[in-house]
């Protein structure tokens, strides 16, 4: 009996599947796509958008090995990922390995477990033409828009820039949000509240329970205090008022659990709870899906189901398993009579289940020792959400108190509100997160989840036993508090909230969210504020403004959403690929041709009242001395604002004008010698912050980072800020010899070192760590543990010595 060749995408998955299939099967990996469009357009529009596919560079050897194995096999099973992209890879593999796609057998593994693999192998099918045609259509759309619109951006703005079909829409959302923030006008408002207590004899006052009450109404109408004069009047009235309980309402409130994770919800929670980006989340999830080595007894096991899904569906077997687990671990009181059922969003593809653990046998605690830290965190998040999704709702006892306040001689009667709740039955909250985590996750809730939260009681403060008609006393201090506030602008998108926005608008699909976010960041169109939130750069704004002025329809989020639905129709077999592409291209080409006739998108030069000092009679260079002295103009390039000479291109002198175009600050000369020419170095400001530059510029163009004043403890060199060459990489602090090929030093820190000795152990420096809200200064030596708030001066070791974290990163 001959062997069966099974082709999957990744070597990790191949290893896991081979274990389950045994000796009658050979399992090899294609390592992703083996064929793709070439670097040139590769699409013949006139011939039905026919693609020209080529072997992906570097995949020649892989394909050769697959072909050799295919010749020796009786059967070929194509087990690439169970989605459009996987179907397209299988289509290309079928062409290369069998010559005809209809000869191939396609199998799907929705979970990499013994049962999942055996079920897939037992149910082969033909390649789904509608599925890979949908992928082909998306690929052609992206290629056409990418090539033609990038060429437009080159001609209108700057050479080398690019634009993508969906990424440009995501960039527009970021720009639109920034415009909202800039247009926002803060409004003043005042929070007014009191601290109250039950009346009591003087001797009992110290023991009585106080509670807060917030101003809500004046003379029976809602009161919003928006100025200091009104606030002062109300405060004065309340300070002399008599307080009487007017109404007490007690009710039981229930809070429903959440559905198990879809791709977008997993990415949102991973950002907000774990600090993982969308791309990083999907990479970790891919590893958990493909298989993790769990020791000799268990071998390699796929721990979660397929991680690209927009469905909340769970298989009957998995439902039975989790209900049994809940009853055993948390008791029957936590198990609803019937399984919880959740609605999937509109247009969801129910081919895959929600993201869940493949087996309740592999608890997070059981597998923790076999997982990397990031893997464990994400697996526990998925585990907790899945288990919680089938538990009973949480129950609270909610009490609301309305207190009437009337001051003698005052014309107004005020009403204040207090509320408190006590968790009566934890239900699913016992598994899925603490209150702080819930609040954090709540910032990224969907509309459905936000609506559910709107019905929840406020606060968890406990109230004393009170009764209607009871007289209360104002407790001073603090007495009446009147706090001035101002409304805040909308928050910028972070990775989680941008994924949520894309999902809610119907832009992209589970398989593309991470790619969209990654591409938006890969260009210099956005920057991250505080390492978290997206802010568009000047370049990003210009690209979006130019594309919008060109009236290209694909920039409309609603149009892009509609295109996703049309691709779904192709996948469902309800529309032909060529029909969709022809309809799109005809309109797109007309719009593109019109946009080419407009003016350039970059700002016109603005003359400056300044002459160029690099050309004219006083120039050092003989050729430049022969020119009439040029005048400078403020100009823009894709690298930022600069002052350029009117004698360009003969005189190429430029001056940096800073990120806002208002002029770069003058350089500050230092005592540091230039190692190339011996002149002094000066600190200058550039696009990425301060740097050292030779005062002999432009004759000497030597530049390097500014030393932080801390010597390298490993080799004695200077510690500097090191920006990674790879886009999106994390900045760290390392030795100035980090990239020196002759005297290479691999010492580095993730936290910024400060030139201050540790008062506890005498170490030569400390580091700045903690969070933005609570920055901390700590000793870099984890054995020392010295730590203090960054807002407080250095103190004696005995007052600040505490357990610290290691600040030195592994080299």
């Amino acid at each position: 009996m001959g062997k069966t060749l099974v082709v999957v995408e990744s070597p990790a998955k191949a290893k896991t599947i081979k274990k389950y299939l045994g000796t009658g099967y050979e399992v090899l990996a294609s390592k992703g796509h083996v064929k793709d469009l070439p670097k040139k357009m590769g699409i013949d529009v006139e011939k039905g958008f026919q693609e020209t596919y080529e072997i992906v560079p570097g995949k020649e050897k892989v394909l050769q090995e697959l072909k050799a194995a295919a010749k020796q096999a009786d059967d070929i099973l194509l087990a690439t990922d169970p989605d459009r992209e996987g179907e397209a890879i299988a289509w290309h593999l079928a062409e290369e390995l069998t010559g005809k796609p209809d000869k191939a057998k396609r199998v799907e593994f929705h979970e990499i477990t013994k049962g999942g693999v055996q079920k897939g192998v037992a149910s082969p099918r033909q390649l789904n033409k509608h599925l890979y045609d949908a992928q082909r259509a998306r690929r052609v759309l992206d290629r056409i828009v990418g090539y033609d619109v990038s060429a437009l951006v080159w001609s209108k703005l700057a050479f080398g820039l690019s634009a993508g079909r969906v990424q440009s829409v995501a960039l527009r959302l970021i720009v639109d949000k920034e415009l909202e923030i800039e247009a926002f006008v803060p409004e003043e408002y005042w929070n007014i509240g009191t601290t109250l207590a039950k009346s009591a004899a003087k001797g009992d006052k110290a023991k009585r329970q106080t509670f807060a009450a917030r101003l809500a109404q004046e003379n029976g109408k809602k009161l919003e205090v928006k100025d200091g004069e009104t606030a002062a009047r109300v405060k004065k009235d309340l300070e002399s008022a008599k307080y009487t309980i007017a109404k007490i309402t007690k009710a039981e409130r229930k809070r429903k659990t959440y559905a198990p994770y879809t791709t977008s919800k997993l990415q949102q929670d991973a950002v907000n709870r774990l600090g993982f980006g969308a791309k990083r989340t999907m990479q970790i999830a891919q590893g958990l899906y493909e298989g993790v080595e769990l020791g000799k007894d268990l071998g390699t096991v796929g721990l979660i189901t397929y991680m690209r899904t927009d469905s909340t569906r769970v298989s009957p077997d998995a439902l039975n398993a989790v209900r049994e687990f809940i009853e055993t671990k948390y008791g029957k009181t936590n198990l609803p009579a019937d399984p919880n059922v959740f609605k999937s969003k509109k247009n969801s593809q129910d081919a895959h289940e929600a993201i869940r653990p493949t087996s309740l046998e592999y608890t997070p605690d059981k597998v923790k020792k076999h997982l990397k830290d990031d893997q464990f965190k994400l697996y526990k998040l998925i585990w907790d959400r899945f288990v919680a999704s089938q538990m009973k709702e949480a129950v609270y006892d909610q009490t609301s108190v309305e207190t009437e306040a009337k001051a003698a001689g005052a014309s107004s009667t005020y009403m204040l509100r207090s509320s408190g709740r006590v968790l009566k039955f934890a239900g699913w909250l016992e598994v899925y997160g603490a209150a702080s985590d819930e609040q954090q996750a709540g910032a990224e809730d969907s509309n459905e989840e936000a609506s559910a939260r709107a019905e929840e009681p406020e606060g968890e403060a406990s109230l004393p036993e009170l009764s209607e008609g009871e007289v209360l006393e104002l407790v001073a201090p603090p007495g009446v508090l009147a706090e001035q506030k101002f409304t805040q602008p909308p928050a910028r998108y972070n990775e989680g909230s941008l994924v949520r926005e894309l999902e809610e608008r119907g832009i992209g699909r589970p398989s593309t969210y991470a790619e969209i976010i990654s591409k938006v960041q890969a260009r210099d169109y956005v920057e991250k504020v505080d390492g978290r939130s997206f802010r568009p750069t000047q370049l990003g704004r210009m690209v979006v403004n130019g594309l919008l002025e060109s009236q290209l329809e694909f920039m409309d989020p609603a149009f892009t959403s509609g295109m996703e639905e049309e691709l779904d129709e192709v996948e469902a077999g309800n529309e032909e690929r060529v029909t969709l592409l022809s309809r799109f291209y005809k309109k797109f080409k007309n719009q593109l041709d019109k946009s080419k006739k407009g003016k350039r998108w970059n700002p016109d030069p603005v003359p400056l009242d300044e002459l160029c000092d690099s050309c004219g009679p006083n120039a050092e260079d003989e050729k430049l001395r022969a020119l009439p002295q040029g005048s400078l103009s403020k100009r823009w390039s894709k690298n930022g604002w600069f002052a350029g000479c009117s004698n360009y291109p003969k005189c190429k002198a430029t001056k940096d004008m800073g990120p806002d175009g208002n002029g770069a600050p003058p350089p500050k000369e230092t005592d540091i010698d230039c190692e190339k020419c011996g002149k002094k170095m000066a600190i200058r400001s550039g696009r990425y912050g301060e740097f050292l530059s030779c005062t002999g510029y432009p004759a000497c163009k030597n530049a390097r980072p500014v030393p932080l004043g801390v010597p390298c403890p490993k080799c004695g060199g200077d510690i500097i800020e090191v920006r990674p060459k790879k886009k999106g990489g994390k900045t760290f602090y390392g030795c100035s010899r980090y990239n020196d090929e002759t005297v290479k030093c691999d010492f580095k820190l993730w936290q910024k070192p400060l030139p201050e000795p540790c008062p506890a152990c005498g170490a030569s420096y400390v580091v700045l760590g903690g969070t933005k809200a609570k920055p901390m200064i700590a000793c870099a030596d984890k054995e020392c543990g010295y730590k203090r708030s960054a807002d407080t001066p250095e103190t004696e070791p005995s007052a600040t010595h505490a357990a610290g974290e290691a600040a030195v990163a592994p080299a």
Side-chain angles (χ1 to χ4, degrees):
M1 180 179 176
K3 283 195 173 185
T4 297
L5 173 63
V6 180
V7 185
V8 297
E9 288 186 42
S10 78
K13 192 195 296 187
K15 179 183 176 183
T16 311
I17 292 171
K18 171 64 178 172
K19 180 187 73 171
Y20 296 133
L21 292 179
T23 57
Y25 294 84
E26 183 173 9
V27 186
L28 298 178
S30 70
K31 299 180 181 178
H33 282 274
V34 292
K35 294 170 75 173
D36 198 4
L37 295 174
K39 288 187 176 181
K40 57 185 180 182
M41 175 68 85
I43 298 166
D44 192 331
V45 175
E46 301 301 324
K47 293 183 179 179
F49 299 90
Q50 184 62 49
E51 311 99 315
T52 299
Y53 288 105
E54 295 181 354
I55 305 301
V56 175
K59 289 294 183 69
E60 295 83 1
K61 186 177 179 181
V62 172
L63 195 53
Q64 186 179 2
E65 291 174 351
L66 290 173
K67 285 182 176 180
K71 288 181 180 179
Q72 304 299 319
D74 290 344
D75 286 304
I76 300 173
L77 301 180
L78 303 176
T80 48
D81 284 353
D83 54 19
R84 286 179 191 168
E85 208 71 25
E87 202 75 11
I89 295 172
W91 173 53
H92 285 142
L93 286 169
E95 286 186 329
E96 292 295 319
L97 303 185
T98 70
K100 293 183 179 180
D102 57 3
K103 284 187 178 181
K105 293 179 181 178
R106 178 79 163 100
V107 297
E108 295 183 358
F109 302 142
H110 295 275
E111 56 182 66
I112 310 302
T113 60
K114 187 173 184 178
V117 169
Q118 291 178 345
K119 181 179 179 181
V121 170
S123 308
R125 61 168 173 81
Q126 293 294 312
L127 276 167
N128 186 330
K129 184 177 185 299
H130 302 314
L131 202 58
Y132 65 72
D133 267 359
Q135 190 276 344
R136 291 172 66 193
R138 177 187 287 278
R139 189 75 180 93
V140 169
L141 284 170
D142 290 344
R143 174 54 61 95
I144 289 173
V145 173
Y147 263 67
D148 289 348
V149 176
S150 292
L152 177 69
V153 176
W154 292 1
S155 65
K156 296 292 186 182
L157 202 55
F159 181 79
L161 300 178
S162 59
R165 182 178 66 90
V166 182
Q167 294 78 27
S168 296
V169 180
L171 177 61
R172 179 188 174 175
L173 295 177
I174 294 171
V175 171
D176 286 350
K177 182 67 72 175
E178 198 67 22
L179 293 175
E180 281 184 59
I181 294 170
E182 292 172 353
F184 179 81
V185 178
E187 293 184 4
E188 180 184 8
Y189 70 98
W190 289 74
N191 281 339
I192 300 178
T194 64
T195 300
L196 302 174
K198 298 174 68 169
S199 297
K202 290 184 178 180
D204 298 330
K205 285 187 176 182
K207 298 180 180 180
R208 61 184 174 170
Q209 183 179 351
T210 62
F211 63 98
R214 177 172 289 189
L215 179 67
Q217 293 181 354
E218 181 180 15
N219 296 328
K221 295 182 180 180
K222 183 179 180 181
L223 176 62
E224 294 181 351
V225 180
K226 295 187 174 182
D227 62 86
E229 184 178 344
T230 303
R233 172 181 64 80
V234 173
K235 183 174 187 289
K236 182 179 179 181
D237 286 351
L238 292 178
E239 285 175 336
S240 60
K242 177 184 178 182
Y243 294 87
T244 308
I245 296 176
K247 185 179 180 181
I248 297 177
T249 305
K250 294 185 178 182
E252 184 179 85
R253 294 292 185 90
K254 295 180 178 180
R255 182 174 169 188
K256 293 181 179 180
T257 185
Y258 295 147
Y261 280 128
T262 58
T263 300
S264 66
K265 291 294 187 294
L266 176 63
Q267 290 172 345
Q268 290 168 47
D269 259 13
V271 168
N272 294 297
R273 288 180 169 231
L274 306 179
F276 295 172
K279 183 177 180 181
R280 181 181 174 194
T281 299
M282 296 310 289
Q283 288 173 337
I284 298 168
Q286 183 90 33
L288 294 173
Y289 162 71
E290 291 179 349
V292 177
E293 180 63 44
L294 298 182
K296 293 182 180 179
D297 294 337
L298 296 174
T300 306
V301 177
L303 291 177
I304 64 170
T305 53
Y306 193 57
M307 63 286 163
R308 296 186 180 95
T309 178
D310 53 9
S311 172
T312 58
R313 180 180 64 83
V314 175
S315 72
D317 288 345
L319 276 179
N320 291 336
V322 72
R323 284 174 61 81
E324 183 179 333
F325 176 84
I326 291 168
E327 184 173 356
T328 301
K329 184 170 177 60
Y330 298 102
K332 200 165 186 176
T333 54
N334 277 288
L335 188 68
D338 298 305
N340 294 328
V341 178
F342 305 93
K343 290 182 180 179
S344 294
K345 71 178 186 70
K346 180 185 175 183
N347 297 327
S348 66
Q349 308 292 308
D350 266 2
H352 309 305
E353 291 185 57
I355 305 169
R356 61 167 176 83
T358 56
S359 171
L360 276 300
E361 176 188 352
Y362 306 123
T363 64
D365 287 342
K366 184 175 181 179
V367 301
K368 183 175 183 179
K369 63 182 179 181
H370 302 291
L371 302 181
K372 296 176 182 176
D373 187 51
D374 287 356
Q375 288 179 319
F376 173 74
K377 288 178 180 178
L378 194 67
Y379 181 62
K380 189 174 188 307
L381 198 65
I382 294 168
W383 173 282
D384 289 349
R385 177 92 167 204
F386 177 59
V387 173
S389 72
Q390 288 302 320
M391 294 179 71
K392 276 188 176 179
E393 53 205 358
V395 182
Y396 294 90
D397 276 338
Q398 167 77 9
T399 302
S400 297
V401 178
E402 295 183 5
T403 301
E404 184 181 274
K406 176 72 175 177
S411 60
S412 295
T413 300
Y414 302 97
M415 192 270 283
L416 299 93
R417 286 201 179 104
S418 308
S419 68
R421 68 176 181 179
V422 176
L423 184 61
K424 184 178 179 181
F425 177 73
W428 63 275
L429 287 176
E430 187 173 345
V431 176
Y432 187 63
S436 59
D437 288 333
E438 285 303 306
Q439 291 162 4
Q440 188 179 37
E444 306 303 329
D445 279 346
S446 66
N447 289 336
E448 182 181 343
E449 290 171 339
S451 297
R453 286 182 181 278
E455 300 300 321
E456 293 172 14
E458 295 181 6
E460 288 197 53
S462 60
L463 297 172
E465 286 294 327
L466 300 169
S467 57
E468 293 182 1
E470 189 170 7
V471 177
L472 303 174
E473 289 185 356
L474 181 67
V475 178
V480 180
L481 292 177
E483 186 178 20
Q484 185 187 35
K485 296 278 190 177
F486 292 91
T487 55
Q488 296 299 307
R492 293 185 175 96
Y493 290 115
N494 61 26
E495 290 198 34
S497 57
L498 184 55
V499 166
R500 182 190 65 184
E501 187 73 16
L502 293 173
E503 181 190 32
E504 290 183 353
R505 288 176 177 262
I507 300 169
R509 288 295 181 260
S511 59
T512 62
Y513 295 137
E515 178 191 12
I516 294 168
I517 300 294
S518 181
K519 286 188 175 179
V520 166
Q521 295 182 80
R523 300 162 182 156
D524 290 328
Y525 297 160
V526 300
E527 58 189 0
K528 277 195 171 181
V529 182
D530 301 326
R532 178 178 171 84
S533 302
F534 292 128
R535 178 172 62 192
T537 62
Q538 183 67 30
L539 179 59
R541 286 174 180 248
M542 288 181 178
V543 169
V544 168
N545 291 341
L547 293 174
L548 291 176
E549 288 174 6
S550 299
Q551 298 183 332
L552 292 167
E553 193 173 26
F554 82 90
M555 286 295 290
D556 182 356
F559 177 83
T560 304
S561 173
M563 183 58 68
E564 294 290 354
E565 293 179 1
E566 291 190 59
L567 289 169
D568 290 343
E569 289 297 297
V570 174
E571 180 176 329
N574 298 328
E575 183 166 20
E576 289 294 323
R577 179 185 73 96
V578 176
T579 304
L580 181 155
L581 293 173
S582 298
R583 184 169 59 249
F584 168 81
Y585 187 73
K586 182 179 180 180
K587 186 180 288 188
F588 172 72
K589 191 71 169 61
N590 289 335
Q591 293 170 351
L592 192 69
D593 290 342
K594 290 180 182 178
S595 67
K596 291 177 181 178
K597 299 174 183 177
K599 66 175 186 177
R600 287 182 61 83
W601 300 345
N602 54 319
D604 294 328
V606 178
L608 300 172
D609 188 19
E610 186 177 350
L611 296 176
C612 177
D613 54 12
S614 296
C615 61
N618 298 322
E620 295 181 7
D621 185 275
E622 184 177 346
K623 292 181 179 180
L624 295 177
R625 196 162 50 244
L627 297 173
Q629 189 168 13
S631 58
L632 297 181
S633 293
K634 175 182 173 181
R635 298 175 180 271
W636 180 88
S637 77
K638 66 178 182 179
N639 295 318
W641 295 97
F642 69 99
C645 181
S646 58
N647 284 327
Y648 180 85
K650 291 181 179 179
C651 177
K652 298 181 179 179
T654 61
K655 289 185 178 181
D656 176 31
M657 295 199 68
D660 56 3
N662 294 327
K668 296 177 286 185
E669 189 169 320
T670 70
D671 292 330
I672 302 172
D673 294 327
C674 174
E675 65 271 22
K676 292 188 176 180
C677 72
K679 291 185 178 180
K680 296 298 181 183
M681 302 285 279
I683 297 177
R684 300 176 185 270
S685 294
R687 183 176 182 183
Y688 298 107
E690 292 187 335
F691 65 98
L692 281 178
S693 175
C694 183
T695 54
Y697 180 86
C700 178
K701 295 185 171 69
N702 184 33
R704 53 192 171 94
V706 178
L708 298 178
V710 177
C712 173
K714 200 166 185 179
C715 73
D718 294 319
I719 297 295
I720 59 172
E721 181 178 354
V722 181
R723 292 183 175 273
K725 296 178 181 178
K726 185 178 179 182
K727 183 72 176 179
K730 187 177 180 182
T731 296
F732 62 91
Y733 303 90
C735 183
S736 57
R737 297 168 177 168
Y738 190 83
N739 292 316
D740 191 326
E741 294 301 326
T742 55
V743 192
K744 192 173 180 67
C745 177
D746 59 5
F747 177 80
K748 68 178 182 179
L749 297 161
W750 291 117
Q751 296 167 311
K752 185 176 182 178
L754 304 176
E756 171 190 319
C758 173
C761 69
S764 59
Y765 66 94
V766 291
V767 295
L768 179 63
T771 63
K772 181 184 177 183
K774 294 183 178 180
M776 301 291 294
I777 291 175
C779 183
D781 186 353
K782 64 179 181 180
E783 299 297 329
C784 171
Y786 172 79
K787 185 190 295 184
R788 77 169 190 270
S789 169
D791 299 325
T792 58
E794 181 181 329
T795 56
E796 291 299 316
S798 58
T800 58
H801 207 79
E805 295 180 354
V808 179

